[in-house]
């Protein structure tokens, strides 16, 4: 059985990655041509890894369930990507990005990984600019930056509100070059349904062709999982509808430990839920908190008047508004990290100050920004006494240039003009910091099985700072994995092709086929969505923004019962040998129903509040931490890595104790 060795190189923090690269084994160019690598997922992490590995000379087989890598969930990323370039001259450095990330993650990340991430962040921007990614530029033509939560510098590079899409087009064009050369074989509309181990090493996968239903065997010398996050375990989230945990969960069941499953990011700025028949939540990018101010009314009479339609938010004077983030966190104001902002919104709404009919909304207001920019523009245009309309028009034009597409999206969904009336927002599930446990090499606890991007537990601890998921995914794919995997593959240069005609492939294929047969033939009563929605409700109510022992125990047994019912009563229409989205969903929800239970079990053993994990027993009602001692106690600074033992309830906990040598483990403060 694999042991939990994070394989962090020795030596001073700032030299670890350089020394590591200087001393690893390499595969020479001629030998790379004889080595195959499977990459499951072609979002930013998998796409960048596939392109780079193929460029290096390996034979890559890349898999995605969409019809093109361009449709990966990464395309949804709006706000930006961080890099410690210090273009603004505002005091940024590798150390500061490293520090902000470890602190932002509530001291639950590995120092060595995070420092490496900060170091390679700068290369990512150069790489993407060379690919033609149209990052925003300032008036003089230099790359522009904005700020994201939890930091005091501007280090976020962006392409309007479409950063993920533009970065993905860059990675996709790099992939396409290799697809054309035959170095990447691209399997669109293919879903990996199991990993195949031979002598304890990952040597292939079983995939289903989603168009024909055919089950295929694919072999390689190493397998890389880049399948994204599992936020859809909550049913409602800001993730793409197809985002799922299947690839990660399947490898977990074959021996890869699953780390920190309960660390979920609940993003503070999403469009509030409108009812029970909704299947998706929409994010309003964190970049909006650069200019938007968050508030609720100070007085309960105004709250009630707004809810009953007797008053509009614009009727309230400055004195009648509570800009609660600016009040509570003057140093960071509206740009506190996401977990802090989400908890503060929940606290105000729980106290009765929510501004929509359900009482679950706060305002995000651009009036001050429009005013400020408008006056500045008037000055620049030498208009000494601008009219109110002139100020509004000038200011609106600037806000529109910065966030136009986000405002348009909001207006389309809510049917209100956010330039004139403040947006309404509420926290929603957005990102999963937990994921497959990996060591410094990004290898899981199974030899030759790697995991990158959002699918691994990686670098963000208990809370990810905004704009750092794209940074981590591309760091993993372009700059880290291509080195670390070579060190492993150097032992495989004489192995030769891996045959798929073996008992290991046969057994894995049989398992996959019998599960698909079950779904098609079960003829139960309830749709897959019926179970997914029920699971989502349990997760949100008991394992959501606030958690307690009783609720977590209830969640575990409710999920177990729901899972048992699913396996008796689920109904999947259609056939196996055709395109069948319900069949795809059935497999994914079956995995969510197991992951959900492990998630609750993980939350149960975390007695302290940290980042997105908010244990009610350790907090006061106004959202301030009571269990401070626990939170920054060394005993709680660990990674929980779970070993599968046939049922989520039986999973065995392995702790990776975290070392803090270059940063002092202490209570986070954003005041
Ligand atoms: C609305 C929104 C906005 C965001 N904005 C930002 C932002 O501004 N900045 C930032 O840093 N982060 C942002 N994030 C987070 C960030 O977008 C994601 O964390 C990141 O894009 C994940 O990239 P990935 O490559 O790991 O996974 P994904 O992009 O999710 O790609 C997963 C890939 O795996 C494939 N796949 C999955 N399972 C299988 C399977 N079983 N078989 C075959 N293929 C499979 C899929 O087809 C896909 O190709 C945002 C997230 C959301 C939801």
């Amino acid at each position: 059985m694999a042991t939990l060795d994070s394989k962090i190189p020795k030596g001073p923090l700032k030299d670890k990655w350089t020394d590591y690269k200087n001393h690893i084994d390499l595969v020479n160019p001629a030998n790379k041509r004889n080595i195959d690598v499977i990459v499951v997922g072609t979002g930013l992490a998998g796409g960048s890894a596939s392109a780079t590995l193929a460029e290096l000379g390996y034979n890559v087989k890349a898999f995605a369930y969409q019809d093109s890598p361009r449709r990966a969930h990464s395309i949804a990323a709006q706000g930006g990507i961080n890099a410690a370039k210090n273009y603004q001259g505002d005091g940024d450095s590798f150390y500061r990005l490293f520090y902000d990330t470890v602190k932002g993650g509530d001291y639950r990340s590995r120092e060595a990984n995070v420092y490496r991430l900060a170091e390679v962040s700068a290369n990512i921007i150069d790489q993407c600019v060379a690919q033609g990614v149209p990052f925003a530029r300032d008036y003089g033509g230099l790359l522009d930056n904005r700020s994201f939560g939890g930091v005091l510098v501007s280090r976020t590079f962006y392409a309007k509100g479409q950063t993920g899409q533009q970065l993905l087009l860059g990675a996709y064009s790099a992939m396409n070059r290799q697809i054309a050369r035959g170095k990447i074989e691209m399997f669109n509309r293919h879903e990996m349904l199991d990993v195949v181990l031979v002598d304890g090493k990952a040597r292939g996968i079983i995939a289903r062709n989603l168009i024909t239903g055919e089950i295929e065997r694919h072999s390689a010398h190493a397998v890389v999982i880049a399948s994204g996050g599992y936020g859809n375990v909550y049913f409602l989230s800001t993730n793409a509808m197809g985002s799922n945990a299947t690839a990660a969960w399947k490898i977990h069941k074959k021996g890869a430990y699953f780390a920190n499953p309960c660390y979920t990011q609940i993003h503070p700025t999403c469009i509030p839920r409108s009812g029970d028949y909704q299947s998706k939540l929409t994010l309003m990018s964190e970049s909006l908190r650069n200019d938007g101010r968050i508030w609720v009314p100070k007085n309960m009479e105004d709250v009630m008047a707004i809810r009953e339609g007797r008053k509009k938010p614009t009727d309230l004077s400055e004195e009648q508004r509570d800009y609660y983030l600016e009040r509570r966190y003057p140093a960071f104001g509206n740009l506190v990290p996401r977990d802090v902002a989400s908890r503060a919104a929940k606290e105000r709404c729980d106290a009765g100050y929510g501004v929509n009919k359900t009482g679950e909304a706060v305002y995000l207001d651009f009036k001050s920004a429009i005013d400020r920019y408008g006056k500045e523009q008037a000055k620049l245009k030498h208009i000494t006494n601008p009219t109110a309309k002139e100020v509004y028009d000038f200011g609106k034009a600037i806000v529109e240039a910065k966030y136009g597409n986000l405002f348009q999206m909001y207006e389309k969904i809510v049917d209100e003009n956010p330039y004139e009336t403040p947006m309404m927002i509420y926290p929603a599930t957005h990102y999963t910091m937990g994921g497959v446990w990996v060591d410094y090499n990004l290898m899981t606890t199974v030899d030759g099985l790697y995991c990158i991007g959002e699918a691994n537990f990686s670098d963000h601890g208990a809370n990810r700072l905004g704009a750092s998921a794209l940074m981590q995914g591309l760091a993993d794919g372009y700059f880290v994995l291509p080195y670390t995997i070579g060190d492993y593959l150097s032992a495989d240069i004489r192995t030769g092709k891996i045959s798929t005609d073996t008992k290991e492939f046969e057994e894995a294929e049989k398992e996959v086929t019998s599960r698909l047969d079950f779904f098609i033939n079960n003829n139960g009563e309830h749709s897959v969505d019926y179970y997914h929605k029920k699971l989502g409700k349990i997760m949100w109510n008991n394992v959501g923004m606030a958690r307690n022992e009783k609720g977590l125990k209830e969640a575990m047994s409710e999920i177990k019962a729901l899972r048992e019912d699913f396996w008796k009563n689920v109904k999947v229409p259609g056939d196996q040998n055709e395109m069948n989205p319900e069949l795809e969903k059935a497999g994914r929800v079956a995995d969510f129903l197991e992951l959900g239970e492990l998630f609750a079990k993980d939350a149960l053993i975390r007695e302290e509040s940290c980042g997105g994990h908010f244990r009610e027993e350790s907090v006061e009602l106004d959202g301030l931490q009571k269990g401070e001692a626990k939170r920054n106690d060394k005993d709680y600074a660990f990674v929980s890595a779970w070993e599968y033992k046939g049922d989520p309830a039986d999973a065995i906990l392995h702790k990776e104790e975290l070392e803090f040598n270059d940063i002092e483990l202490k209570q986070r403060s954003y005041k």
Side-chain angles (χ1 to χ4, degrees):
M1 180 47 63
T3 54
L4 210 54
D5 175 4
S6 53
K7 303 210 173 90
I8 296 170
K10 301 224 171 340
L13 187 67
K14 65 178 183 34
D15 299 332
K16 284 183 196 289
W17 181 230
T18 307
D19 280 354
Y20 170 95
K21 286 187 291 179
N22 286 342
H23 293 101
I24 51 170
D25 285 331
L26 300 176
V27 182
N28 88 19
N31 285 330
K32 286 196 183 101
R33 289 198 283 272
N34 300 323
I35 291 189
D36 306 328
V37 180
I38 284 176
V39 180
V40 177
T42 50
L44 281 175
S48 57
S50 301
T52 312
L53 293 173
E55 184 81 42
L56 284 169
Y58 297 108
N59 309 310
V60 175
K61 287 178 167 185
F63 294 79
Y65 63 74
Q66 290 96 346
D67 59 352
S68 158
R70 278 174 305 162
R71 295 202 201 282
H73 161 63
S74 289
I75 201 172
Q78 303 167 343
I81 175 166
N82 290 328
K85 285 275 202 188
N86 194 27
Y87 279 172
Q88 306 301 315
D90 56 359
D92 205 3
S93 63
F94 295 157
Y95 184 85
R96 204 175 277 274
L97 173 51
F98 155 72
Y99 175 83
D100 288 344
T101 308
V102 174
K103 175 183 169 191
D106 225 340
Y107 305 93
R108 297 291 185 274
S109 359
R110 239 187 237 147
E111 280 192 341
N113 285 52
V114 180
Y115 196 84
R116 174 177 67 186
L117 178 64
E119 275 181 294
V120 304
S121 67
N123 304 98
I124 298 171
I125 303 304
D126 299 342
Q127 167 94 357
C128 295
V129 168
Q131 287 169 348
V133 172
F135 284 121
R137 289 176 183 267
D138 66 18
Y139 185 72
L142 300 172
L143 296 185
D144 198 14
N145 292 129
R146 54 191 177 198
S147 227
F148 266 58
V151 309
L152 294 172
V153 296
S154 288
R155 63 161 74 99
T156 305
F157 294 77
Y158 64 101
K160 221 171 183 181
Q162 308 164 348
T163 315
Q165 178 179 15
Q166 298 306 328
L167 292 171
L168 193 59
L169 288 173
Y172 178 60
S173 55
M175 273 186 83
N176 258 344
R177 199 172 105 77
Q178 301 302 331
I179 292 172
R181 290 179 63 218
K183 293 303 291 180
I184 296 181
E185 202 178 343
M186 184 66 222
F187 293 87
N188 292 318
R189 287 270 184 223
H190 274 67
E191 182 165 24
M192 169 211 166
L193 292 178
D194 213 346
V195 63
V196 182
L197 309 189
V198 180
D199 298 331
K201 291 181 177 174
R203 291 301 199 188
I205 63 167
I206 305 295
R208 178 167 178 265
N209 177 327
L210 298 180
I211 294 178
T212 64
E214 197 180 329
I215 302 299
E216 300 172 6
R217 302 176 182 186
H218 294 274
S219 69
H221 297 90
V223 175
V224 180
I225 302 297
S227 53
Y230 54 87
N232 282 346
V233 68
Y234 285 90
F235 185 66
L236 285 181
S237 87
T238 63
N239 289 10
M241 294 292 289
S243 293
N244 69 89
T246 287
W249 193 251
K250 291 295 194 263
I251 67 168
H252 172 54
K253 290 174 91 165
K254 285 278 168 82
Y257 293 1
F258 210 99
N260 296 340
C262 81
Y263 286 168
T264 315
Q265 177 154 90
I266 313 281
H267 197 300
T269 58
C270 301
I271 298 180
R273 208 166 65 93
S274 62
D276 270 352
Y277 294 99
Q278 194 169 344
S279 53
K280 176 87 185 71
L281 291 171
T282 308
L283 174 76
M284 289 286 101
S285 168
E286 176 163 315
S287 59
L288 294 172
R289 285 199 275 145
N290 273 270
D291 283 313
R293 299 177 71 196
I294 295 178
W295 64 276
V296 290
K298 249 183 212 158
N299 306 313
M300 195 49 82
E301 307 87 73
D302 289 330
V303 173
M304 296 322 290
I306 287 175
R307 281 197 203 167
E308 289 160 13
R310 288 180 283 113
K311 269 190 184 171
K312 292 196 288 247
T314 43
D315 293 336
L316 266 58
S317 66
E318 282 299 298
E319 294 67 42
Q320 293 168 316
R321 300 170 176 206
D322 176 15
Y323 293 97
Y324 57 86
L325 288 177
E326 296 171 29
R327 168 171 60 79
R328 285 177 61 178
Y329 307 101
F332 285 74
N334 293 292
L335 277 172
V336 286
R338 291 173 182 177
D339 56 330
V340 177
S342 288
R343 286 206 300 262
K346 180 169 164 31
E347 185 276 322
R348 281 295 75 194
C349 290
D350 286 354
Y353 291 86
V355 291
N356 67 353
K357 288 209 168 69
T358 63
E360 291 190 332
V362 299
Y363 288 127
L364 177 65
D365 195 333
F366 289 83
K367 181 167 182 316
S368 308
I370 290 174
D371 240 37
R372 178 165 41 86
Y373 287 126
K375 284 183 184 147
E376 189 180 282
Q377 287 299 308
K379 226 184 176 81
L380 285 168
K381 292 177 201 302
H382 306 296
I383 302 173
T384 35
N385 280 317
T387 62
K389 175 153 187 342
E390 278 173 325
V391 170
Y392 174 79
D393 287 345
F394 292 148
K396 183 186 166 202
I398 298 291
V399 169
E400 194 170 356
K402 285 182 138 181
Y403 315 110
N405 64 322
L406 302 171
F407 275 56
Q408 193 189 28
M409 194 163 80
Y410 182 87
E411 190 166 1
K412 282 221 155 110
I413 294 171
V414 182
D415 199 23
E416 276 182 0
N417 179 349
Y419 295 100
E420 279 164 19
T421 184
M423 289 183 183
M424 280 195 275
I425 51 163
Y426 195 69
T429 303
H430 177 65
Y431 179 90
T432 41
M433 279 77 65
V436 178
W437 185 89
V438 288
D439 63 18
Y440 188 75
N441 302 319
L442 305 181
M443 202 199 276
T444 69
T445 42
V446 174
D447 277 353
L449 183 57
Y450 291 80
C451 191
I452 60 175
E454 190 175 339
N456 74 21
F457 89 102
S458 77
D459 306 345
H460 310 293
N463 171 62
R464 173 177 71 80
L465 291 184
S468 57
L470 303 184
M471 169 174 71
Q472 179 233 325
L474 290 180
D476 287 359
Y478 283 134
F479 296 108
V480 180
L481 181 81
Y483 284 96
T484 61
I485 202 170
D487 189 34
Y488 171 78
L489 290 171
S490 63
D492 254 330
I493 54 175
R494 287 182 206 86
T495 306
K497 277 267 170 234
I498 308 287
S499 168
T500 57
D501 203 10
T502 62
K503 68 172 188 337
E504 290 87 353
F505 275 90
E506 196 179 310
E507 274 164 19
E509 185 181 315
K510 225 185 243 163
E511 234 176 86
V512 166
T513 317
S514 70
R515 190 155 125 141
L516 293 167
D517 286 345
F518 167 82
F519 285 134
I520 293 294
N521 296 317
N522 192 48
N523 267 329
E525 280 175 64
H526 301 301
S527 69
V528 175
D529 268 3
Y530 166 91
Y531 290 100
H532 198 177
K533 277 185 197 169
K534 278 189 176 266
L535 172 66
K537 278 220 165 106
I538 301 171
M539 294 297 296
W540 184 249
N541 291 339
N542 290 357
V543 206
M545 285 188 69
R547 305 161 180 184
N548 59 55
E549 186 181 342
K550 182 169 164 282
L552 292 169
K553 285 185 171 156
E554 275 168 19
M556 284 183 70
S557 64
E558 283 173 22
I559 295 170
K560 196 182 195 64
L562 188 65
R563 194 169 62 238
E564 281 165 11
D565 191 54
F566 172 88
W567 285 107
K568 279 190 201 128
N569 286 320
V570 70
K571 179 178 175 60
V572 177
D575 207 345
Q576 204 199 119
N577 298 318
E578 62 181 10
M579 183 144 185
N580 186 344
E582 283 300 302
L583 180 59
E584 293 166 32
K585 269 199 285 184
R588 295 170 192 168
V589 170
D591 295 332
F592 279 141
L593 282 164
E594 293 185 6
L595 169 61
E597 192 179 338
L598 182 69
F599 194 127
K601 184 177 163 108
D602 185 54
L604 194 59
I605 60 115
R606 286 244 166 235
E607 294 169 353
E608 86 285 21
S609 284
C610 55
H613 170 68
F614 199 41
R615 274 297 281 259
E616 281 178 333
E617 295 95 326
S618 66
V619 298
E620 290 172 356
L621 276 182
D622 72 352
L624 294 173
Q625 299 283 330
K626 201 198 247 168
E628 311 282 60
K630 277 189 179 176
R631 192 178 197 218
N632 54 344
D633 187 322
K634 181 87 184 72
D635 291 346
Y636 287 88
F638 64 86
V639 174
S640 54
W642 296 94
E643 181 185 356
Y644 187 75
K645 282 285 172 194
D647 188 292
D650 301 330
I652 295 177
L653 174 64
H654 299 261
K655 284 187 183 176
E656 178 192 340
E657 308 292 341
L658 293 166
E659 303 252 322
F660 293 93
N661 299 316
D662 288 80
I663 287 185
E664 188 195 345
L665 169 63
K666 60 178 184 198
Q667 182 60 42
R668 255 191 334 166
S669 167
Y670 289 94
K671 288 179 178 156

